[in-house]
Amino acid sequence: MKGQHYTIAPCNVLTGSFICPPDKSISHRAAILAAIATGKSTLHHFLFSEDCLATLQCLRQLGVEIALFKESNTVVIEGVGLQGLRESQTPLHCGNSGTTIRLLSGILAAQPFSSTLMGDESLSQRPMGRVTLPLKQMGAEIKTQSPDYRAPIEILPLKKALSAIHYAVPVASAQVQASLLFAGLYASGTTKVTVPSVVRDHSLHLLRQFGADISQDALTVSITPAEKLNAQTLWIPGDLSSAAFFIVGALIAKEGCLSIKQVGINPTRSGILTLLQKMGADLLIQNQQQIAGEWIADIHVKSAALHGIEINPRDVSLCIDELPLLLLAASCAEGRTTLRGAQELRVKESDRLHAMAVGLRTLGVSLELYEDGMIIHGLSKSLFEGGFIDSFHDHRIAMTFIMASRRSKQPITVSDCDYIATSFPHFFTLAQQMGFEVSTNEESILSNE
Ligand code: S3P
């Protein structure tokens, strides 16, 4: 059931330690590649969130056998091979998940059968032309809805193999890059994808791991068609985007002291750590190790007096999902923080610039909103007002404002917290272990009391 509001009691403490929950981006990609590989893949530490489960359900509808072992967070996927997917008799429902719909579009554009990909209300408002237009250039036949090439996406049976193209992606999007590289597995010739700035490179590591012929030259990635991909046994690193909520919560709390283990710190993705350090954060990054091309580490964080910074357009793609949290941190800092070049935030699960501006103003923060960013005048030592925050049905907006309770005078009520399960199903369990007192609008089953 969607529509649950949660109220968080104000508290200036955040202490504890936990193992970082699995990475969403890597879980999606690993499942899709395992499905089209030859043989049985075992994915340990897979994220059982609604978004990743949507990917698994779509793959099952396409004829892939998948066994879930929830107690051990493991998924076993019987790969059907590159040519082994079968037409789904019903539309593929991608729920709230942009990664599911865009990445699967790349694979399905290359199939000799038709597919319809659809999503929930939020996903149906998001731009899909960024993947469907280049896929059409490769020869796919695809229909979308007006305006802005929205879902449902109808993909018609491919009559002749996709042609390789060199595509310069106009937006810094890892989803578009991944979708086109996946299509490139099936194209005739070498497909090249150039992004305007660095995006998360999980697709490259995983494609290489599964045996694809892929190379990178600065912002351009090239892939040649594969004869087959080989099944893998993989361990999925922790998701920095999930850890980041508690990292910022601990930083802004008066008494914050937190350790998170096995966090993915892939440098194409860890902009938030660099930017928080620039703001004066006390972060200790220890036990760094590399697993299947991905760096992980343990992160220790303590409360700190933060100061305002400039977040430049070139920083944006390195911390795209963490920008709401950086705006929250900036609201607690001394001085001014400027964010520019972040217009992509307007087409995420919600318009995140609008959602953050409305929510922060409710909490008493003074800010100026622009089409591509925001200037925030930090409250420094003052605390947030409490109040009712509209999450705009967006998991990351909801979790960001729940963290604001570590710096608030009054309770904060956040709408539609059910969406948190799209990326971080154990968020409230962990939050309570870290000292959060949570109640629902129907009496508390979650309260610590
Ligand atoms: C993702 C890439 C980003 C990010 C999203 C996950 C991915 O989207 O916002 O949450 O897994 O590739 P864009 O590629 O649209 O920037």
Side-chain angles (χ1 to χ4, degrees):
M1 187 193 70
K2 305 288 178 190
Q4 190 79 67
H5 305 342
Y6 285 63
T7 298
I8 323 298
C11 173
N12 57 16
V13 182
L14 197 165
T15 54
S17 69
F18 62 88
I19 295 176
C20 189
D23 190 276
K24 182 156 83 72
S25 292
I26 302 178
S27 294
H28 283 294
R29 287 164 171 74
I32 294 172
L33 291 175
I36 54 169
T38 300
K40 181 190 288 204
S41 288
T42 304
L43 309 178
H44 296 290
H45 202 233
F46 186 90
L47 179 65
F48 287 102
S49 75
E50 286 177 6
D51 278 9
C52 297
L53 291 173
T55 291
L56 296 184
Q57 176 55 27
C58 292
L59 294 171
R60 278 179 165 155
Q61 284 176 235
L62 293 163
V64 182
E65 267 181 50
I66 301 177
L68 308 187
F69 300 92
K70 289 203 173 162
E71 310 71 45
S72 59
N73 279 357
T74 299
V75 174
V76 176
I77 300 184
E78 296 286 347
V80 294
L82 283 161
Q83 311 303 335
L85 296 175
R86 297 285 164 257
E87 179 166 355
S88 170
Q89 296 313 308
T90 48
L92 300 163
H93 210 304
C94 305
N96 194 242
S97 175
T99 311
T100 306
I101 198 164
R102 295 194 178 116
L103 269 55
L104 283 179
S105 293
I107 302 274
L108 294 173
Q111 305 302 321
F113 54 79
S114 62
S115 303
T116 301
L117 293 140
M118 54 188 288
D120 69 6
E121 210 180 310
S122 147
L123 192 58
S124 307
Q125 304 296 316
R126 297 179 64 187
M128 294 298 145
R130 53 182 64 194
V131 289
T132 59
L133 296 175
L135 289 170
K136 281 165 91 163
Q137 275 185 35
M138 294 175 83
E141 268 194 68
I142 304 182
K143 291 185 189 157
T144 45
Q145 319 303 313
S146 302
D148 301 333
Y149 310 98
R150 293 181 183 174
I153 300 177
E154 288 172 64
I155 301 175
L156 303 182
L158 193 70
K159 294 194 190 92
K160 74 176 203 352
L162 292 179
S163 316
I165 56 170
H166 183 172
Y167 189 71
V169 188
V171 285
S173 166
Q175 291 177 352
V176 176
Q177 185 202 54
S179 183
L180 300 181
L181 293 175
F182 287 0
L185 285 169
Y186 294 88
S188 57
T190 302
T191 298
K192 290 178 188 251
V193 185
T194 302
V195 285
S197 57
V198 175
V199 295
R200 61 191 70 192
D201 64 2
H202 307 306
S203 307
L204 279 67
H205 293 298
L206 283 167
L207 278 160
R208 217 168 258 143
Q209 187 75 23
F210 277 88
D213 178 17
I214 185 157
S215 60
Q216 184 175 22
D217 180 12
L219 295 173
T220 300
V221 180
S222 306
I223 189 161
T224 58
E227 270 171 31
K228 78 171 185 122
L229 299 179
N230 305 313
Q232 297 295 315
T233 294
L234 294 173
W235 178 85
I236 299 190
D239 196 328
L240 176 59
S241 299
S242 296
F245 294 104
F246 289 96
I247 291 174
V248 170
L251 271 175
I252 66 173
K254 193 166 167 216
E255 289 173 48
C257 184
L258 178 70
S259 298
I260 312 180
K261 293 196 190 330
Q262 299 174 349
V263 187
I265 54 158
N266 180 320
T268 62
R269 175 87 187 272
S270 55
I272 185 167
L273 300 179
T274 327
L275 291 170
L276 287 174
Q277 282 167 330
K278 218 165 140 190
M279 294 176 89
D282 187 0
L283 300 178
L284 188 61
I285 300 173
Q286 281 184 322
N287 294 334
Q288 295 193 31
Q289 49 178 311
Q290 210 177 11
I291 300 182
E294 293 284 351
W295 283 99
I296 61 164
D298 300 339
I299 299 181
H300 308 276
V301 50
K302 286 193 186 134
S303 336
L306 303 175
H307 53 82
I309 56 165
E310 280 198 8
I311 306 174
N312 298 310
R314 68 170 181 280
D315 299 321
V316 164
S317 58
L318 303 175
C319 58
I320 184 73
D321 289 341
E322 293 69 62
L323 287 170
L325 274 168
L326 284 163
L327 296 174
L328 181 73
S331 303
C332 303
E334 166 99 53
R336 191 173 108 136
T337 294
T338 309
L339 165 66
R340 297 313 292 257
Q343 56 279 5
E344 270 296 288
L345 286 184
R346 297 221 178 249
V347 291
K348 293 294 176 188
E349 286 82 328
S350 69
D351 174 345
R352 286 184 176 157
L353 284 175
H354 173 72
M356 286 307 297
V358 173
L360 289 174
R361 281 183 177 137
T362 303
L363 297 185
V365 178
S366 146
L367 58 90
E368 287 110 53
L369 178 61
Y370 299 96
E371 194 45 40
D372 68 337
M374 207 179 279
I375 292 179
I376 289 197
H377 305 279
L379 289 173
S380 187
K381 292 196 174 64
S382 307
L383 299 179
F384 291 131
E385 305 297 333
F388 179 83
I389 301 291
D390 189 341
S391 73
F392 294 88
H393 304 113
D394 183 329
H395 57 134
R396 296 200 197 281
I397 298 298
M399 289 186 275
T400 298
F401 282 105
I402 289 171
M403 289 301 146
S405 64
R406 299 308 85 178
R407 188 74 169 228
S408 175
K409 287 187 238 175
Q410 300 291 331
I412 295 182
T413 298
V414 180
S415 75
D416 301 302
C417 289
D418 320 64
Y419 282 84
I420 291 172
T422 60
S423 66
F424 199 162
H426 299 301
F427 174 79
F428 281 114
T429 313
L430 275 177
Q432 286 181 289
Q433 285 167 11
M434 305 297 125
F436 286 63
E437 212 178 284
V438 183
S439 55
T440 72
N441 46 347
E442 298 159 356
E443 270 315 300
S444 169
I445 40 158
L446 290 165
S447 168
N448 266 347
E449 293 169 344

